Amino acid sequence: MHRWWQATVFAAILIGCGGSSDPGGTNQPPPSPGFAGTYATAVTLAQNTCGAITVQSLPTVVTHNVASGAITLVHGGTTYSGSVAADSTFTTTPRDVDVGDGFQYRITLAGRFGNRSFVADATVDRSGAGASCQFVAHWVGSR
């Protein structure tokens, strides 16, 4: 009379225990993607000794090698390479950019990643055409 109930419970136990996708039994979580992703990035001019400067809010695509700490940030078609420290701060190697206006631009990013966000300052040293100056663009990214 109670055999159907016992069979149902036995089948439920088999279903609940079988079909493990972790054959080694370690139950480790998948590797963290770190800070990689596409961030909507608001950009404002924080400092400026260069006169008329226009900054643009554009998406920033971040790749992150968690094992080595290497990162790249792509913003407005320019790629910046750098590294992330254990405290989530990052810096990039200075990048020389020519936009065809007679000036040379050397851009360095420094910032910190948060939970699905980052803040950074892009320090831009402009030289050429007989004048040098600097401006800082403040970036706030979220995904």
Side-chain angles (χ1 to χ4, degrees), residues 41 58-63 72-80 109 139:
T41 306
L58 299 167
T60 303
V61 177
V62 176
T63 59
T72 60
L73 295 93
V74 180
H75 181 85
T78 302
T79 301
Y80 305 92
L109 299 173
W139 297 11

Side-chain angles (χ1 to χ4, degrees), residues 8-23 25 27:
T8 303
V9 170
F10 182 68
I13 291 170
L14 285 178
I15 293 169
C17 294
S20 173
S21 61
D22 186 18
N27 289 321

Side-chain angles (χ1 to χ4, degrees), residues 34-126:
F35 303 114
T38 300
Y39 294 77
T41 306
V43 180
T44 56
L45 193 58
Q47 297 175 18
N48 180 17
T49 64
C50 296
I53 295 293
T54 301
V55 295
Q56 289 186 298
S57 296
L58 299 167
T60 303
V61 177
V62 176
T63 59
H64 179 207
N65 181 318
V66 177
S68 70
I71 60 165
T72 60
L73 295 93
V74 180
H75 181 85
T78 302
T79 301
Y80 305 92
S81 299
S83 60
V84 179
D87 66 355
S88 301
T89 59
F90 66 90
T91 56
T92 64
T93 303
R95 171 74 194 259
D96 293 326
V97 178
D98 181 359
V99 297
D101 65 355
F103 294 101
Q104 290 79 43
Y105 298 85
R106 175 161 280 187
I107 305 170
T108 306
L109 299 173
R112 177 182 295 264
F113 286 104
N115 183 22
R116 301 181 54 80
S117 65
F118 74 87
V119 294
D121 286 325
T123 301
V124 182
D125 294 305
R126 185 174 84 175

